[in-house]
Amino acid sequence: MTELAQVPVTALKGVGEALAEKLARVGLENLQDVLFHLPLRYQDRTRITPIGALRPGQDAVVEGVVAGADVVMGRRRSLLVRLQDGSGTLSLRFFHFSQAQKDGLKRGTALRCYGEVRPGATGLEIYHPEYRAQQGDESAPVEQTLTPIYPTTEGLTQQRLRQLSEQALGRLGPHSLPDWLPAEMIAQYQLGPLAEALRTLHRPPPNTDLDALAEGQHWAQQRLVFEELLTHQLSLQRLRETLRAQRAPVLPPAQTLPARFIANLGFQPTGAQRRVGQEIAYDLSQPEPMLRLVQGDVGAGKTVVAALAALQALEAGYQVALMAPTEILAEQHFLNFSRWLAPLGIEVAWLAGKLKGKARAAALEQIAGGTPMVVGTHALFQDEVQFKRLALVIIDEQHRFGVQQRLALRNKGIDGRLSPHQLIMTATPIPRTLAMSAYADLDTSILDELPPGRTPVNTLVIADSRRLEVVERVRIACREGRQAYWVCTLIEESEELTCQAAETSYEELSAALGELRVGLIHGRMKPAEKAAVMDEFKQGNLQLLVATTVIEVGVDVPNASLMIIENPERLGLAQLHQLRGRVGRGSAASHCVLLYHAPLSQLGRERLAIMRETCDGFVIAEKDLELRGPGEMLGTRQTGLLQFKVADLMRDAELLPAVRDAAQELLARWPERVSPLLQRWLRHGQQYGQV
Ligand code: ADP
Ligand code: MG
């Protein structure tokens, strides 16, 4: 029997060219794809519920006889059909209907319908049910299994997808769909057979535990989750091998520049900075590209580590590119590196999206001509940017920098032959279990020591009914020569509204604090305006900065020691931690006021309490994971790096250690099974090993 992976969808009944094209849009090209296209959820149409037993909110199949159908005028005109069985009466309501439809719903017609029961003007109602007139006296049989609802695209109906999966299931057998997991492994991890899992998920029997399915805890799901996570691990291993197989410039440890740099720095690197610096220095001296992630809490001093790495490449006569995710942050790095490198006689170039016309052309020319240190935003990675001798790329605060982007960096290397080394820095603490799966392709260094003399930020949780007191606090702090941030949080995902709120707060605070110099910064301002305001704040010319979360990453003004965050309940803990990290950078005791809007939910209270209790980014991340469950921590949905069909990295985190062991074992003992697994689970573009 042919393997289903080899059978195109056009082999199925009813699939022609046009349909095949639509199917390709959801990634279905062969019958194996069809089988791995799993339902998002299920409907239970396996039994008929008596009308008298219906509950609001329930999705139900109901049978009855039409007792009347009238057009009623209410707030919106609608067709109201009264349906009765022996146990009660239910209304079916149609806001859109044709005359023919109305005629077909005459009194005395026997109907079967399906839909969500809700409380309505006439008692329980179903809006726009699916329905069918019953033929004769005979009641048609109900569904034998739960009804799958598949992910789909325009023009592709659920009914069609069900027909296709039905046909594909008909061809399912041990030879047509090999189980690539060795029997030994299936037994060891108690996984259950593949074909059975697929059959169950496409057509769950009536007694299936719907809650378990909804939570992804059903054994059939867990079997596929395991296989998918395993495949993901294998793909990262492959990627790693691909990247390691590339060549990189060998950079001998720097002899003179680091000492001169440190002498000018005004402080000594911490033990952790030295240790991580050495880990990097070793990697850079190797002929394969470094792929290293430095995780260090907010304020741990990652920039100095980046500079030490850069010096090794610079001393060897190569170019270094430093990329930051926002212009504010990039500009700050540009200023720091300019200040640090000028005494060493090293030139620094600047490139960002806002740079246009002549200035841009000049920057591109500098970079192509070999200016040693280049700092900028994503603009650095555009095609038109040509480096002369790029040996090291440093990516700051960007743990979401995707696999594809990492691979593409090779094109920026030397003569398309030598890939640059890559150093990625992030303050977003990632719980260890997740890090191990998400970053299997990177080596990790942890900067686990804050520079000396820092006092932990004292965090207060205060209701906004006490706003005036808080404003007084700002006045006192600024009068004592300190600086403060006043942060306005995101409103319903609307940047527009958020900026307006910041403007309102700015007006209010300027009026209330007439003697202080107050600035405003938000995402709608032009980059040049933002930079100017930031600079004024840095210089100390502004005492209070009203800001949106644009200041979240990296902004470093050590004299700022007070931060007020309005509506902190709108933000995730990791984000609050990032924001709070903008203070506590100097030696003065710092404070952060979480000015919440009452009433807080139980969860909201717990979350703010965590912020009050700890400043440790890892503790906060673990708690966040615990409280929030599946979340945005890794930004997995946006990255394209981790697009799973059935797995959920948060929900299934506890499987990860076993998955990692299994991946090692499979690679060692059954390497020939790796490729078929990758082909089964990953879309073509995602097959990293082949890029
Ligand atoms: P982050 O890890 O959040 O990027 P930064 O690199 O911005 O942290 O450093 C935060 C602040 O700490 C900066 O003002 C920096 O100059 C200072 N700093 C870094 N390392 C040390 C050190 N070893 N001793 C004292 N201050 C340091
Ligand atoms: Mg930083």
Side-chain angles (χ1 to χ4, degrees):
M1 209 173 183
T2 342
E3 281 188 26
L4 295 180
Q6 313 301 328
V7 184
V9 283
T10 45
L12 294 176
K13 269 192 297 237
V15 184
E17 282 303 313
L19 182 53
E21 239 167 68
K22 277 184 200 148
L23 292 171
R25 250 184 268 151
V26 274
L28 307 186
E29 288 171 5
N30 60 57
L31 299 200
Q32 175 174 280
D33 295 337
V34 172
L35 287 174
F36 281 81
H37 189 67
L38 294 166
L40 290 169
R41 57 195 173 83
Y42 302 90
Q43 295 173 342
D44 187 355
R45 303 180 185 221
T46 62
R47 27 173 195 213
I48 294 165
T49 309
I51 290 175
L54 290 175
R55 294 282 164 270
Q58 177 185 5
D59 291 314
V61 183
V62 178
E63 261 182 16
V65 175
V66 175
D70 301 292
V71 176
V72 294
M73 294 315 285
R75 242 186 305 161
R76 273 170 78 192
R77 180 169 173 273
S78 61
L79 172 64
L80 193 70
V81 177
R82 307 288 294 165
L83 191 73
Q84 290 182 332
D85 66 2
S87 69
T89 308
L90 170 76
S91 296
L92 311 179
R93 197 183 284 274
F94 299 86
F95 294 104
H96 310 279
F97 57 94
S98 63
Q99 185 61 39
Q101 207 176 0
K102 178 166 184 272
D103 293 344
L105 290 167
K106 278 201 296 285
R107 196 185 158 86
T109 312
L111 290 185
R112 172 177 299 169
C113 55
Y114 177 84
E116 187 191 338
V117 179
R118 55 172 87 211
T122 64
L124 291 184
E125 302 190 353
I126 300 180
Y127 291 179
H128 288 277
E130 291 172 38
Y131 69 94
R132 203 170 39 177
Q134 302 278 79
Q135 303 303 323
D137 294 342
E138 201 72 359
S139 162
V142 289
E143 299 288 336
Q144 295 302 300
T145 69
L146 299 182
T147 307
I149 308 292
Y150 293 99
T152 187
T153 180
E154 211 181 313
L156 192 57
T157 63
Q158 290 297 330
Q159 208 181 0
R160 178 71 81 182
L161 285 166
R162 271 170 226 151
Q163 285 166 2
L164 300 182
S165 57
E166 194 64 34
Q167 292 185 57
L169 287 168
R171 300 197 184 199
L172 185 54
H175 300 292
S176 64
L177 190 79
D179 194 338
W180 298 114
L181 300 194
E184 210 176 291
M185 203 172 265
I186 291 176
Q188 184 185 349
Y189 297 106
Q190 304 181 343
L191 292 175
L194 175 66
E196 202 46 43
L198 287 171
R199 241 186 262 286
T200 306
L201 291 179
H202 283 283
R203 298 292 182 274
N207 60 358
T208 307
D209 183 347
L210 267 174
D211 291 337
L213 276 180
E215 285 158 21
Q217 300 303 336
H218 194 277
W219 74 262
Q221 286 163 313
Q222 290 286 301
R223 150 75 216 220
L224 294 176
V225 165
F226 192 94
E227 185 171 319
E228 185 173 34
L229 289 174
L230 175 69
T231 306
H232 175 250
Q233 278 285 326
L234 294 169
S235 78
L236 287 175
Q237 299 277 3
R238 276 268 166 106
L239 168 67
R240 193 186 164 93
E241 283 162 21
T242 307
L243 289 166
R244 302 278 150 167
Q246 299 176 359
R247 298 292 86 188
V250 171
L251 309 173
Q255 300 300 328
T256 61
L257 291 180
R260 291 171 60 198
F261 163 70
I262 291 171
N264 291 338
L265 204 50
F267 51 76
Q268 284 299 311
T270 62
Q273 281 169 326
R274 286 186 195 278
R275 175 175 48 77
V276 172
Q278 276 159 13
E279 286 166 4
I280 295 168
Y282 174 79
D283 287 356
L284 293 177
S285 69
Q286 299 303 303
E288 66 261 18
M290 168 174 77
L291 296 166
R292 189 168 282 280
L293 177 75
V294 174
Q295 282 193 62
D297 210 342
V298 170
K302 291 183 291 294
T303 321
V304 166
V305 171
L308 288 169
L311 290 174
Q312 188 164 342
L314 295 170
E315 188 167 309
Y318 288 94
Q319 271 180 307
V320 178
L322 168 59
M323 194 277 279
T326 65
E327 292 214 9
I328 292 187
L329 188 49
E331 183 141 342
Q332 187 173 291
H333 282 321
F334 175 69
L335 295 174
N336 274 330
F337 276 79
S338 300
R339 186 162 51 88
W340 287 335
L341 299 185
L344 309 179
I346 298 171
E347 210 187 320
V348 185
W350 164 255
L351 184 70
K354 74 172 178 201
L355 210 61
K356 297 276 187 312
K358 275 202 192 118
R360 182 179 189 82
L364 290 176
E365 202 176 314
Q366 271 185 309
I367 297 167
T371 296
M373 182 78 211
V374 184
V375 181
T377 58
H378 270 105
L380 286 179
F381 300 139
Q382 285 162 356
D383 286 340
E384 57 171 343
V385 184
Q386 295 291 331
F387 292 85
K388 189 164 184 221
R389 282 164 70 72
L390 183 63
L392 169 64
V393 173
I394 303 171
I395 294 154
D396 190 23
E397 298 296 355
Q398 191 73 321
H399 65 288
R400 293 178 183 179
F401 198 68
V403 167
Q404 298 301 342
Q405 291 160 295
R406 288 214 284 278
L407 281 167
L409 280 180
R410 171 158 54 163
N411 304 330
K412 297 280 174 217
I414 301 164
D415 303 334
R417 201 169 42 80
L418 291 179
S419 295
H421 297 279
Q422 300 178 26
L423 179 63
I424 299 171
M425 304 192 295
T426 176
T428 305
I430 295 142
R432 270 164 270 279
T433 40
L434 296 184
M436 139 174 129
S437 175
Y439 301 121
D441 59 321
L442 297 173
D443 294 314
T444 308
S445 294
I446 298 192
L447 210 53
D448 52 3
E449 182 185 346
L450 291 181
R454 298 281 172 82
T455 45
V457 180
N458 175 31
T459 300
L460 301 114
V461 179
I462 297 180
D464 58 7
S465 52
R466 290 169 60 195
R467 192 182 169 98
L468 285 181
E469 276 173 52
V470 174
V471 173
E472 283 317 303
R473 233 173 208 282
V474 172
R475 191 195 307 278
I476 292 165
C478 292
R479 207 181 270 158
E480 287 170 357
R482 313 253 129 247
Q483 287 170 284
Y485 297 99
W486 188 289
V487 183
C488 303
T489 46
L490 192 68
I491 298 176
E492 285 156 9
E493 305 293 316
S494 156
E495 205 195 342
E496 180 82 47
L497 287 178
T498 308
C499 297
Q500 280 172 19
E503 271 160 12
T504 309
S505 288
Y506 168 71
E507 299 296 339
E508 245 177 60
L509 290 165
S510 304
L513 299 167
E515 77 278 23
L516 297 186
R517 291 178 305 276
V518 185
L520 171 67
I521 189 164
H522 62 60
R524 287 281 160 115
M525 288 163 50
K526 294 211 178 72
E529 294 169 348
K530 278 192 275 191
V533 172
M534 222 37 243
D535 200 42
E536 288 285 287
F537 189 62
K538 246 191 139 144
Q539 302 295 329
N541 298 336
L542 293 172
Q543 292 158 293
L544 173 64
L545 184 61
V546 180
T548 57
T549 52
V550 294
I551 58 151
E552 182 184 334
V553 284
V555 168
D556 184 34
V557 181
N559 190 47
S561 63
L562 174 61
M563 172 173 281
I564 319 296
I565 304 177
E566 280 195 78
N567 300 104
E569 67 277 6
R570 290 184 187 142
L571 299 181
L573 292 188
Q575 211 182 354
L576 282 173
H577 180 64
Q578 279 285 331
L579 274 171
R580 184 173 59 183
R582 302 307 111 219
V583 292
R585 306 190 141 236
S587 47
S590 292
H591 303 273
C592 176
V593 177
L594 302 176
L595 195 60
Y596 69 90
H597 187 67
L600 282 179
S601 65
Q602 173 65 25
L603 184 63
R605 266 199 300 278
E606 281 179 46
R607 295 173 71 243
L608 296 187
I610 290 166
M611 293 305 295
R612 188 174 49 210
E613 282 153 23
T614 180
C615 284
D616 181 326
F618 279 95
V619 174
I620 289 172
E622 301 277 357
K623 289 281 185 193
D624 206 15
L625 180 61
E626 225 171 83
L627 287 179
R628 223 165 22 139
E632 293 289 296
M633 191 171 300
L634 287 171
T636 49
R637 280 180 191 87
Q638 300 91 305
T639 50
L641 161 58
L642 302 164
Q643 292 212 334
F644 293 113
K645 288 188 168 85
V646 285
D648 177 320
L649 219 38
M650 299 292 180
R651 183 191 69 200
D652 303 316
E654 76 271 20
L655 286 178
L656 291 172
V659 164
R660 208 167 60 154
D661 294 347
Q664 297 301 343
E665 203 179 342
L666 200 85
L667 278 169
R669 295 178 56 196
W670 297 278
E672 72 288 355
R673 297 185 182 220
V674 174
S675 286
L677 278 169
L678 293 178
Q679 264 158 29
R680 175 175 286 172
W681 285 98
L682 300 182
R683 299 287 358 129
H684 309 299
Q686 278 182 289
Q687 290 185 23
Y688 313 130
Q690 298 171 14
V691 174

